[in-house]
Amino acid sequence: MTTIEINLPRDLAEEAGEMGLLKSQVVAELLRDEIRRRTFSDLLQHGGYAANGLAAVDEPDRTAPSRRRKG
């Protein structure tokens, strides 16, 4: 585990605390969700390539003949 310290406006900290949003487990879940959202957004913006250097998402080979059944 890592300990972090953040500075928030008093009213925001009070409201978040009252809602239980400042608990470690909740903050971790919120951060994970935001990381997933941003990663997905990066994939969409870059046509399958993540900004952080992840491999390309597999796309169908558009030069290969179609294998659809007719009829």
Side-chain angles (χ1 to χ4, degrees):
M1 285 287 194
T2 299
T3 300
I4 61 170
E5 181 179 319
I6 59 172
N7 295 308
L8 300 171
R10 182 180 303 274
D11 59 335
L12 177 60
E14 288 173 359
E15 187 175 0
E18 289 170 4
M19 297 178 78
L21 296 174
L22 298 180
K23 296 177 183 177
S24 293
Q25 187 175 8
V26 175
V27 171
E29 187 176 321
L30 291 170
L31 291 171
R32 282 189 196 99
D33 288 347
E34 183 61 12
I35 289 168
R36 274 189 226 102
R37 187 191 69 77
R38 288 184 183 200
T39 300
F40 183 73
S41 177
D42 284 349
L43 286 170
L44 291 177
Q45 284 183 331
H46 297 95
Y49 294 89
N52 61 5
L54 294 176
V57 174
D58 289 338
E59 290 188 22
D61 182 356
R62 300 200 193 295
T63 61
S66 176
R67 295 185 182 201
R68 288 186 198 169
R69 285 191 204 179
K70 294 182 181 179

